[in-house]
């Protein structure tokens, strides 16, 4: 009950910060964020801040999750979505409250395992978690995706994912060096990829595996 109250307060804050999409706000009012952080962090789970989840990674700030989710569904609800950077699984769960099918990939095995367990325990059967050394390679066997959400900061626009974006689809990705990232929306129209540069953001880096690196 206490967590429901804290969640309602967080939703009020998000609304105050300009998040207007009721579908997004309703989804975030449902997802128990305190179950996506370590026990030592549960008292801060409904603060509007990123929190450490171990392995040098973070669960994103709720405002950013709301903003990215809002952008993802701005032109209608995509049927199948790919998230790169499962992390805690929180963003994936928010998407799962709204959309029919989500694939999410993570490169750090213990985070992947933990997120998978959370999805199962909380009954999010429409999220499929995958372990991948480099999520930027996408999931060619399960695409094309109507939307791709990258939740780690890419140095450069990950154009390798373009071919897994369905025609009319959109990719949302933070791009730029640490300290100077901007959220970019890429919309696909046939062979044309239109880019829109949005707000400044701050994400942990997307780790890209170079093809000349050994995989073990
Ligand atoms: N969406 C998450 C937050 C992501 S933090 C949440 O809601 O909690 C970014 C995550 O991206 C980290 O867990 C990091 O390990 C992962 N990551 C970074 N580079 C990656 C890559 N190339 N492929 C897959 N996952 C990656």
């Amino acid at each position: 009950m206490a967590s429901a109250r804290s969640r309602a307060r967080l939703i009020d804050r998000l609304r105050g910060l300009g998040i207007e999409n009721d579908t997004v706000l309703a989804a975030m009012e449902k997802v128990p964020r305190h179950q996506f952080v370590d026990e030592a962090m549960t008292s801060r789970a409904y603060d509007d801040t990123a929190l450490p989840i171990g392995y040098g990674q973070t669960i994103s700030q709720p405002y950013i999750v709301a903003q990215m989710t809002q952008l993802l569904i701005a032109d209608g609800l995509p049927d199948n979505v790919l998230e790169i950077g499962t992390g805690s699984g929180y963003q994936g769960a928010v998407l799962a409250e709204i959309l029919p099918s989500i694939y999410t990939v993570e490169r750090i095995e213990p985070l992947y395992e933990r997120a998978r367990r959370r999805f199962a325990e909380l009954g999010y059967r429409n999220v499929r978690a995958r372990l991948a050394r480099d999520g930027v390679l996408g999931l060619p066997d399960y695409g094309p995706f109507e939307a791709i959400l990258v939740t780690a900061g890419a140095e450069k626009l990950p154009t390798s994912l373009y071919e897994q974006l369905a025609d009319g689809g959109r990719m949302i990705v933070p791009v730029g060096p640490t300290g100077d990232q901007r959220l970019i929306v890429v919309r696909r129209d046939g062979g044309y990829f239109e880019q829109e540069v949005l707000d400044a953001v701050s994400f942990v880096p997307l780790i890209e595996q170079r093809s000349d690196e050994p995989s073990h």
Side-chain angles (χ1 to χ4, degrees):
M1 287 319 280
S3 72
R5 269 200 305 276
S6 313
R7 220 148 45 227
R9 267 200 301 275
L10 174 61
I11 301 311
D12 284 346
R13 177 183 160 84
L14 296 177
R15 216 180 253 118
L17 289 171
I19 303 296
E20 289 176 339
N21 189 308
D22 287 330
T23 305
V24 173
L25 293 168
M28 291 184 68
E29 189 146 16
K30 283 197 205 139
V31 180
R33 192 170 186 256
H34 65 283
Q35 296 192 35
F36 290 84
V37 298
D38 296 340
E39 217 160 312
M41 294 285 163
T42 49
S43 65
R44 300 177 59 195
Y46 295 102
D47 291 356
D48 187 25
T49 54
L51 293 169
I53 55 172
Y55 309 92
Q57 308 303 323
T58 55
I59 178 173
S60 305
Q61 180 192 356
Y63 173 69
I64 295 294
V65 171
Q67 200 187 16
M68 287 182 103
T69 309
Q70 197 165 254
L71 285 170
L72 196 86
I73 66 171
D75 291 340
L77 303 183
D79 275 342
N80 60 334
V81 175
L82 172 64
E83 179 195 21
I84 295 161
T86 312
S88 67
Y90 177 69
Q91 170 77 72
V94 171
L95 295 177
E97 289 284 354
I98 304 173
L99 302 170
S101 170
I102 292 105
Y103 281 92
T104 180
V105 297
E106 172 56 54
R107 61 183 290 278
I108 299 177
E109 191 161 5
L111 291 179
Y112 151 78
E113 292 287 358
R114 226 176 275 170
R116 219 167 57 129
R117 207 170 48 237
R118 288 179 181 131
F119 294 142
E121 282 169 7
L122 296 169
Y124 290 115
R125 289 205 199 84
N126 51 338
V127 192
R128 269 142 304 189
R130 295 281 183 271
L131 180 67
R133 283 196 63 83
D134 190 357
V136 171
L137 304 175
L139 290 177
D141 292 349
Y142 303 97
F145 298 94
E146 289 181 7
I148 298 177
L149 184 62
V150 184
T151 63
E155 282 274 331
K156 284 190 254 135
L157 202 59
T159 51
S160 55
L161 288 166
Y162 278 11
E163 60 193 45
Q164 288 175 52
L165 199 56
D167 195 9
R170 51 175 49 200
M171 172 160 76
I172 296 158
V173 52
V175 180
T178 306
D180 190 20
Q181 291 169 356
R182 301 288 294 263
L183 209 52
I184 294 187
V185 180
V186 178
R187 292 184 186 80
R188 177 170 194 171
D189 179 3
Y192 184 71
F193 295 85
E194 176 210 23
Q195 296 170 24
E196 187 186 350
V197 180
L198 302 173
D199 302 0
V201 285
S202 174
F203 279 84
V204 295
L206 183 74
I207 309 295
E208 295 189 50
Q209 173 103 25
R210 295 201 324 265
S211 56
D212 55 349
E213 271 176 47
S215 57
H216 292 286

